[in-house]
Amino acid sequence: MGFKMPYLSLIEHPGAIDAFKAFQYRIIRLSRDNLLDQFISFRLATLNDAWRSDRGSTTVTRFSAEPGDIEDAFRNWTRWDAELSAMTETLPNLHVTYEELVGGPGVSRSLEFLELPSIPLHSPFKRQRSGTQSEIIENYFDLKERFADTEWAKHFIE
């Protein structure tokens, strides 16, 4: 059995890490390689109030973004990932990216880490987003230019 516990929930419940140790839990830390893709998914979920593909519908498919909002999100997610890594370093843990889960060895690595048999897995959930970064973000090319000489440039892939 497993459960999902977002980073901010761990901050609200600091005793959880001690409980994880006591119960000898294994931690799989999930992050995104591409922070702009994460921003797009987060913003679309927020705008549509649809956080799961089986609940709610996606009617808003495009939006404009402010550079400050993107930079704040990138900085927060990067900091939170580093803090979560430090919080769980004394526990058995595996870091897997969303990209590895969808198109790479993430599932098999996770099953092996959890000492579970490798069997075909199927999910009832579907990807909510369709379209490229520039098709979804109305001011994509302005943002790409704005972030061109920053540490965040690598996330603008078109």
Side-chain angles (χ1 to χ4, degrees):
M1 180 189 304
F3 60 91
K4 176 181 178 180
M5 186 167 199
Y7 167 79
L8 293 177
S9 295
L10 281 173
I11 296 303
E12 292 174 13
H13 305 281
I17 294 292
D18 292 333
F20 295 166
K21 288 178 186 175
F23 288 107
Q24 300 177 331
Y25 284 178
R26 296 173 191 211
I27 309 294
I28 297 178
R29 293 184 302 106
L30 180 64
S31 67
R32 291 287 292 254
D33 280 334
N34 190 298
L35 296 180
L36 185 60
D37 287 339
Q38 183 173 350
F39 182 84
I40 290 169
S41 295
F42 178 79
R43 179 62 60 91
L44 287 173
T46 302
L47 292 170
N48 288 290
D49 194 27
W51 298 91
R52 292 174 34 168
S53 63
D54 63 339
R55 294 187 185 156
S57 60
T58 303
T59 56
V60 177
T61 58
R62 295 190 47 137
F63 61 86
S64 183
E66 294 296 323
D69 293 341
I70 290 175
E71 188 165 7
D72 288 347
F74 286 9
R75 288 192 187 289
N76 284 335
W77 292 328
T78 301
R79 186 182 81 245
W80 295 344
D81 190 51
E83 290 172 0
L84 184 58
S85 178
M87 274 189 226
T88 60
E89 69 185 358
T90 61
L91 293 165
N93 73 87
L94 173 69
H95 179 240
V96 178
T97 67
Y98 171 84
E99 291 82 357
E100 287 176 308
L101 282 179
V102 208
V107 172
S108 60
R109 287 181 56 226
S110 297
L111 291 173
E112 183 179 321
F113 172 72
L114 296 171
E115 298 178 0
L116 295 171
S118 182
I119 59 171
L121 302 175
H122 305 283
S123 174
F125 302 107
K126 296 178 181 174
R127 186 175 185 190
Q128 291 176 279
R129 170 186 157 191
S130 63
T132 64
Q133 292 178 340
S134 65
E135 290 170 339
I136 296 170
I137 301 177
E138 294 165 350
N139 58 333
Y140 173 83
F141 293 104
D142 293 335
L143 293 168
K144 183 175 182 172
E145 184 177 321
R146 159 67 174 77
F147 288 101
D149 294 323
T150 71
E151 64 187 296
W152 312 119
K154 66 184 177 186
H155 302 290
F156 294 78
I157 58 174
E158 295 174 35

Short mmCIF file of all heavy atoms in Angstrom, two decimals, residues 77-123:
data_model
loop_
_atom_site.label_atom_id
_atom_site.label_comp_id
_atom_site.label_asym_id
_atom_site.label_seq_id
_atom_site.Cartn_x
_atom_site.Cartn_y
_atom_site.Cartn_z
N TRP A 77 9.69 25.35 -6.77
CA TRP A 77 9.77 23.91 -7.04
C TRP A 77 11.20 23.39 -6.92
O TRP A 77 11.41 22.28 -6.42
CB TRP A 77 9.19 23.60 -8.42
CG TRP A 77 7.71 23.82 -8.49
CD1 TRP A 77 6.80 23.66 -7.49
CD2 TRP A 77 6.98 24.24 -9.63
NE1 TRP A 77 5.54 23.95 -7.95
CE2 TRP A 77 5.61 24.31 -9.26
CE3 TRP A 77 7.32 24.55 -10.94
CZ2 TRP A 77 4.60 24.68 -10.13
CZ3 TRP A 77 6.31 24.93 -11.82
CH2 TRP A 77 4.97 24.99 -11.41
N THR A 78 12.16 24.18 -7.35
CA THR A 78 13.57 23.76 -7.23
C THR A 78 13.98 23.68 -5.76
O THR A 78 14.62 22.71 -5.32
CB THR A 78 14.48 24.74 -8.00
OG1 THR A 78 14.08 24.74 -9.38
CG2 THR A 78 15.93 24.34 -7.90
N ARG A 79 13.60 24.69 -4.98
CA ARG A 79 13.92 24.71 -3.54
C ARG A 79 13.22 23.56 -2.82
O ARG A 79 13.83 22.85 -2.02
CB ARG A 79 13.53 26.05 -2.93
CG ARG A 79 13.98 26.19 -1.48
CD ARG A 79 13.57 27.51 -0.84
NE ARG A 79 12.17 27.42 -0.40
CZ ARG A 79 11.16 28.12 -0.89
NH1 ARG A 79 11.36 28.99 -1.84
NH2 ARG A 79 9.94 27.96 -0.42
N TRP A 80 11.93 23.37 -3.11
CA TRP A 80 11.18 22.31 -2.43
C TRP A 80 11.75 20.94 -2.74
O TRP A 80 11.81 20.07 -1.87
CB TRP A 80 9.71 22.38 -2.80
CG TRP A 80 9.01 23.61 -2.33
CD1 TRP A 80 9.44 24.51 -1.38
CD2 TRP A 80 7.76 24.11 -2.79
NE1 TRP A 80 8.53 25.52 -1.23
CE2 TRP A 80 7.49 25.31 -2.08
CE3 TRP A 80 6.84 23.67 -3.73
CZ2 TRP A 80 6.33 26.04 -2.28
CZ3 TRP A 80 5.68 24.41 -3.94
CH2 TRP A 80 5.43 25.58 -3.21
N ASP A 81 12.17 20.73 -3.97
CA ASP A 81 12.75 19.43 -4.33
C ASP A 81 14.04 19.19 -3.55
O ASP A 81 14.28 18.09 -3.05
CB ASP A 81 12.99 19.34 -5.83
CG ASP A 81 13.34 17.93 -6.25
OD1 ASP A 81 12.60 16.98 -5.88
OD2 ASP A 81 14.37 17.75 -6.93
N ALA A 82 14.88 20.21 -3.43
CA ALA A 82 16.12 20.08 -2.67
C ALA A 82 15.83 19.84 -1.19
O ALA A 82 16.49 19.00 -0.55
CB ALA A 82 16.99 21.33 -2.84
N GLU A 83 14.85 20.54 -0.65
CA GLU A 83 14.49 20.35 0.76
C GLU A 83 13.91 18.96 1.01
O GLU A 83 14.21 18.33 2.02
CB GLU A 83 13.51 21.44 1.21
CG GLU A 83 14.16 22.81 1.30
CD GLU A 83 13.18 23.94 1.56
OE1 GLU A 83 11.95 23.67 1.67
OE2 GLU A 83 13.62 25.10 1.63
N LEU A 84 13.09 18.49 0.09
CA LEU A 84 12.51 17.16 0.23
C LEU A 84 13.61 16.09 0.15
O LEU A 84 13.60 15.12 0.90
CB LEU A 84 11.45 16.90 -0.84
CG LEU A 84 10.72 15.57 -0.75
CD1 LEU A 84 10.03 15.40 0.59
CD2 LEU A 84 9.71 15.46 -1.88
N SER A 85 14.56 16.30 -0.72
CA SER A 85 15.69 15.38 -0.83
C SER A 85 16.44 15.32 0.50
O SER A 85 16.79 14.23 0.98
CB SER A 85 16.62 15.83 -1.96
OG SER A 85 17.74 14.99 -2.04
N ALA A 86 16.69 16.48 1.11
CA ALA A 86 17.39 16.52 2.39
C ALA A 86 16.55 15.87 3.50
O ALA A 86 17.08 15.14 4.34
CB ALA A 86 17.73 17.96 2.75
N MET A 87 15.24 16.10 3.50
CA MET A 87 14.35 15.53 4.52
C MET A 87 14.34 14.01 4.50
O MET A 87 14.18 13.37 5.52
CB MET A 87 12.91 16.00 4.29
CG MET A 87 12.54 17.29 4.88
SD MET A 87 10.74 17.44 4.65
CE MET A 87 10.64 19.08 4.07
N THR A 88 14.47 13.45 3.31
CA THR A 88 14.31 12.00 3.16
C THR A 88 15.63 11.26 2.99
O THR A 88 15.62 10.06 2.74
CB THR A 88 13.39 11.68 1.96
OG1 THR A 88 13.97 12.22 0.77
CG2 THR A 88 12.01 12.26 2.17
N GLU A 89 16.76 11.97 3.15
CA GLU A 89 18.05 11.33 2.86
C GLU A 89 18.37 10.17 3.80
O GLU A 89 19.14 9.28 3.43
CB GLU A 89 19.17 12.36 2.85
CG GLU A 89 19.50 12.96 4.20
CD GLU A 89 20.54 14.07 4.11
OE1 GLU A 89 21.03 14.35 3.00
OE2 GLU A 89 20.85 14.64 5.16
N THR A 90 17.78 10.14 4.98
CA THR A 90 18.06 9.03 5.90
C THR A 90 17.06 7.88 5.76
O THR A 90 17.16 6.89 6.47
CB THR A 90 18.05 9.52 7.37
OG1 THR A 90 16.75 10.04 7.67
CG2 THR A 90 19.12 10.57 7.60
N LEU A 91 16.13 8.03 4.84
CA LEU A 91 15.15 6.98 4.57
C LEU A 91 15.48 6.31 3.24
O LEU A 91 16.09 6.93 2.37
CB LEU A 91 13.75 7.60 4.45
CG LEU A 91 13.17 8.20 5.71
CD1 LEU A 91 11.98 9.09 5.36
CD2 LEU A 91 12.73 7.10 6.65
N PRO A 92 15.05 5.06 3.06
CA PRO A 92 15.20 4.48 1.73
C PRO A 92 14.36 5.32 0.76
O PRO A 92 13.16 5.50 0.98
CB PRO A 92 14.62 3.07 1.87
CG PRO A 92 14.40 2.85 3.34
CD PRO A 92 14.41 4.18 4.01
N ASN A 93 15.00 5.89 -0.25
CA ASN A 93 14.25 6.73 -1.16
C ASN A 93 14.79 6.62 -2.57
O ASN A 93 15.95 6.29 -2.79
CB ASN A 93 14.22 8.18 -0.68
CG ASN A 93 15.53 8.89 -0.85
OD1 ASN A 93 15.79 9.45 -1.91
ND2 ASN A 93 16.37 8.89 0.19
N LEU A 94 13.90 6.89 -3.50
CA LEU A 94 14.23 6.85 -4.93
C LEU A 94 13.67 8.11 -5.55
O LEU A 94 12.51 8.45 -5.32
CB LEU A 94 13.59 5.61 -5.57
CG LEU A 94 13.69 5.49 -7.09
CD1 LEU A 94 15.14 5.22 -7.51
CD2 LEU A 94 12.77 4.38 -7.59
N HIS A 95 14.49 8.76 -6.34
CA HIS A 95 14.02 9.94 -7.08
C HIS A 95 13.68 9.51 -8.50
O HIS A 95 14.48 8.90 -9.19
CB HIS A 95 15.09 11.02 -7.11
CG HIS A 95 14.67 12.22 -7.88
ND1 HIS A 95 15.34 12.66 -8.98
CD2 HIS A 95 13.61 13.06 -7.73
CE1 HIS A 95 14.73 13.73 -9.47
NE2 HIS A 95 13.67 13.99 -8.73
N VAL A 96 12.44 9.81 -8.91
CA VAL A 96 11.96 9.49 -10.25
C VAL A 96 11.33 10.75 -10.82
O VAL A 96 10.65 11.49 -10.10
CB VAL A 96 10.90 8.35 -10.21
CG1 VAL A 96 10.36 8.06 -11.59
CG2 VAL A 96 11.50 7.10 -9.60
N THR A 97 11.56 10.99 -12.09
CA THR A 97 10.92 12.14 -12.72
C THR A 97 9.66 11.72 -13.45
O THR A 97 9.51 10.55 -13.85
CB THR A 97 11.87 12.85 -13.73
OG1 THR A 97 12.10 11.97 -14.82
CG2 THR A 97 13.17 13.26 -13.06
N TYR A 98 8.78 12.67 -13.62
CA TYR A 98 7.54 12.44 -14.36
C TYR A 98 7.89 11.93 -15.76
O TYR A 98 7.26 11.01 -16.27
CB TYR A 98 6.75 13.75 -14.43
CG TYR A 98 5.55 13.69 -15.35
CD1 TYR A 98 4.34 13.17 -14.92
CD2 TYR A 98 5.64 14.17 -16.66
CE1 TYR A 98 3.24 13.12 -15.76
CE2 TYR A 98 4.55 14.12 -17.51
CZ TYR A 98 3.35 13.60 -17.06
OH TYR A 98 2.27 13.55 -17.90
N GLU A 99 8.90 12.53 -16.36
CA GLU A 99 9.30 12.14 -17.71
C GLU A 99 9.75 10.68 -17.75
O GLU A 99 9.48 9.96 -18.72
CB GLU A 99 10.40 13.07 -18.21
CG GLU A 99 9.94 14.49 -18.49
CD GLU A 99 9.85 15.41 -17.26
OE1 GLU A 99 10.10 14.96 -16.12
OE2 GLU A 99 9.51 16.59 -17.44
N GLU A 100 10.42 10.21 -16.69
CA GLU A 100 10.82 8.80 -16.62
C GLU A 100 9.61 7.88 -16.46
O GLU A 100 9.59 6.77 -16.98
CB GLU A 100 11.76 8.56 -15.44
CG GLU A 100 13.15 9.12 -15.60
CD GLU A 100 13.97 8.92 -14.34
OE1 GLU A 100 13.51 9.30 -13.25
OE2 GLU A 100 15.09 8.38 -14.46
N LEU A 101 8.61 8.34 -15.72
CA LEU A 101 7.41 7.52 -15.53
C LEU A 101 6.63 7.36 -16.83
O LEU A 101 6.11 6.29 -17.12
CB LEU A 101 6.49 8.13 -14.47
CG LEU A 101 6.90 7.91 -13.03
CD1 LEU A 101 5.91 8.60 -12.09
CD2 LEU A 101 7.00 6.43 -12.70
N VAL A 102 6.54 8.46 -17.61
CA VAL A 102 5.72 8.40 -18.81
C VAL A 102 6.45 7.76 -19.98
O VAL A 102 5.82 7.06 -20.77
CB VAL A 102 5.27 9.80 -19.25
CG1 VAL A 102 3.96 9.76 -19.98
CG2 VAL A 102 5.15 10.75 -18.13
N GLY A 103 7.73 8.00 -20.10
CA GLY A 103 8.38 7.52 -21.31
C GLY A 103 9.71 6.84 -21.09
O GLY A 103 10.54 6.80 -21.99
N GLY A 104 9.93 6.30 -19.92
CA GLY A 104 11.23 5.71 -19.68
C GLY A 104 11.17 4.63 -18.61
O GLY A 104 10.13 4.00 -18.41
N PRO A 105 12.28 4.46 -17.92
CA PRO A 105 12.40 3.35 -16.96
C PRO A 105 11.82 3.64 -15.57
O PRO A 105 12.03 2.88 -14.65
CB PRO A 105 13.91 3.17 -16.86
CG PRO A 105 14.45 4.56 -17.03
CD PRO A 105 13.54 5.20 -18.07
N GLY A 106 11.08 4.72 -15.41
CA GLY A 106 10.60 5.11 -14.09
C GLY A 106 9.72 4.09 -13.40
O GLY A 106 9.86 3.85 -12.20
N VAL A 107 8.82 3.47 -14.14
CA VAL A 107 7.93 2.48 -13.54
C VAL A 107 8.72 1.25 -13.09
O VAL A 107 8.58 0.79 -11.95
CB VAL A 107 6.79 2.08 -14.50
CG1 VAL A 107 5.98 0.92 -13.94
CG2 VAL A 107 5.88 3.28 -14.78
N SER A 108 9.57 0.74 -13.96
CA SER A 108 10.34 -0.46 -13.58
C SER A 108 11.31 -0.16 -12.44
O SER A 108 11.48 -0.99 -11.54
CB SER A 108 11.07 -1.05 -14.79
OG SER A 108 11.97 -0.11 -15.33
N ARG A 109 11.92 1.01 -12.43
CA ARG A 109 12.80 1.39 -11.32
C ARG A 109 12.03 1.47 -10.02
O ARG A 109 12.51 1.03 -8.96
CB ARG A 109 13.47 2.74 -11.59
CG ARG A 109 14.56 2.69 -12.65
CD ARG A 109 15.22 4.05 -12.89
NE ARG A 109 15.76 4.60 -11.66
CZ ARG A 109 15.59 5.87 -11.26
NH1 ARG A 109 14.90 6.72 -11.98
NH2 ARG A 109 16.12 6.28 -10.14
N SER A 110 10.81 2.03 -10.08
CA SER A 110 9.98 2.16 -8.88
C SER A 110 9.55 0.79 -8.35
O SER A 110 9.62 0.54 -7.14
CB SER A 110 8.75 3.02 -9.17
OG SER A 110 9.14 4.33 -9.53
N LEU A 111 9.10 -0.08 -9.25
CA LEU A 111 8.69 -1.42 -8.83
C LEU A 111 9.87 -2.18 -8.22
O LEU A 111 9.71 -2.86 -7.19
CB LEU A 111 8.11 -2.18 -10.01
CG LEU A 111 6.76 -1.69 -10.53
CD1 LEU A 111 6.39 -2.43 -11.81
CD2 LEU A 111 5.68 -1.83 -9.48
N GLU A 112 11.03 -2.07 -8.83
CA GLU A 112 12.22 -2.75 -8.29
C GLU A 112 12.56 -2.20 -6.91
O GLU A 112 12.84 -2.96 -5.98
CB GLU A 112 13.40 -2.56 -9.25
CG GLU A 112 14.65 -3.28 -8.81
CD GLU A 112 15.80 -3.09 -9.80
OE1 GLU A 112 15.53 -3.10 -11.02
OE2 GLU A 112 16.93 -2.91 -9.33
N PHE A 113 12.53 -0.89 -6.75
CA PHE A 113 12.83 -0.24 -5.47
C PHE A 113 11.86 -0.71 -4.38
O PHE A 113 12.23 -0.93 -3.24
CB PHE A 113 12.77 1.28 -5.63
CG PHE A 113 12.87 2.05 -4.35
CD1 PHE A 113 14.06 2.13 -3.66
CD2 PHE A 113 11.75 2.70 -3.83
CE1 PHE A 113 14.16 2.84 -2.47
CE2 PHE A 113 11.83 3.42 -2.65
CZ PHE A 113 13.04 3.48 -1.97
N LEU A 114 10.59 -0.88 -4.74
CA LEU A 114 9.57 -1.31 -3.79
C LEU A 114 9.52 -2.83 -3.63
O LEU A 114 8.70 -3.35 -2.87
CB LEU A 114 8.20 -0.79 -4.22
CG LEU A 114 8.05 0.73 -4.23
CD1 LEU A 114 6.73 1.13 -4.88
CD2 LEU A 114 8.18 1.30 -2.83
N GLU A 115 10.39 -3.53 -4.36
CA GLU A 115 10.45 -4.98 -4.35
C GLU A 115 9.11 -5.60 -4.74
O GLU A 115 8.61 -6.54 -4.12
CB GLU A 115 10.93 -5.51 -2.99
CG GLU A 115 12.34 -5.04 -2.65
CD GLU A 115 12.82 -5.49 -1.28
OE1 GLU A 115 12.07 -6.18 -0.56
OE2 GLU A 115 13.97 -5.15 -0.94
N LEU A 116 8.53 -5.05 -5.80
CA LEU A 116 7.28 -5.54 -6.35
C LEU A 116 7.53 -6.18 -7.70
O LEU A 116 8.47 -5.81 -8.40
CB LEU A 116 6.28 -4.39 -6.51
CG LEU A 116 5.82 -3.73 -5.21
CD1 LEU A 116 5.01 -2.48 -5.51
CD2 LEU A 116 5.00 -4.72 -4.38
N PRO A 117 6.71 -7.14 -8.09
CA PRO A 117 6.92 -7.80 -9.38
C PRO A 117 6.68 -6.82 -10.54
O PRO A 117 5.85 -5.93 -10.45
CB PRO A 117 5.89 -8.93 -9.39
CG PRO A 117 4.87 -8.54 -8.39
CD PRO A 117 5.56 -7.67 -7.37
N SER A 118 7.40 -7.04 -11.59
CA SER A 118 7.23 -6.23 -12.79
C SER A 118 6.09 -6.81 -13.61
O SER A 118 6.23 -7.87 -14.21
CB SER A 118 8.54 -6.22 -13.60
OG SER A 118 8.37 -5.41 -14.73
N ILE A 119 4.97 -6.13 -13.59
CA ILE A 119 3.79 -6.56 -14.34
C ILE A 119 3.28 -5.37 -15.15
O ILE A 119 3.56 -4.22 -14.80
CB ILE A 119 2.67 -7.10 -13.42
CG1 ILE A 119 2.24 -6.01 -12.43
CG2 ILE A 119 3.12 -8.35 -12.68
CD1 ILE A 119 1.01 -6.34 -11.63
N PRO A 120 2.54 -5.62 -16.20
CA PRO A 120 1.97 -4.49 -16.96
C PRO A 120 1.00 -3.70 -16.08
O PRO A 120 0.16 -4.28 -15.39
CB PRO A 120 1.22 -5.16 -18.11
CG PRO A 120 1.76 -6.55 -18.19
CD PRO A 120 2.23 -6.90 -16.80
N LEU A 121 1.16 -2.41 -16.08
CA LEU A 121 0.30 -1.52 -15.29
C LEU A 121 -0.54 -0.67 -16.21
O LEU A 121 -0.10 -0.27 -17.28
CB LEU A 121 1.15 -0.63 -14.38
CG LEU A 121 2.08 -1.34 -13.40
CD1 LEU A 121 2.95 -0.32 -12.67
CD2 LEU A 121 1.28 -2.15 -12.40
N HIS A 122 -1.74 -0.39 -15.79
CA HIS A 122 -2.66 0.45 -16.56
C HIS A 122 -3.26 1.48 -15.63
O HIS A 122 -3.59 1.18 -14.49
CB HIS A 122 -3.76 -0.39 -17.21
CG HIS A 122 -3.23 -1.50 -18.06
ND1 HIS A 122 -2.72 -1.29 -19.32
CD2 HIS A 122 -3.08 -2.82 -17.81
CE1 HIS A 122 -2.30 -2.44 -19.82
NE2 HIS A 122 -2.51 -3.39 -18.91
N SER A 123 -3.43 2.67 -16.12
CA SER A 123 -4.01 3.75 -15.33
C SER A 123 -5.31 4.22 -15.96
O SER A 123 -5.41 4.34 -17.17
CB SER A 123 -3.03 4.93 -15.25
OG SER A 123 -3.64 6.02 -14.61
#
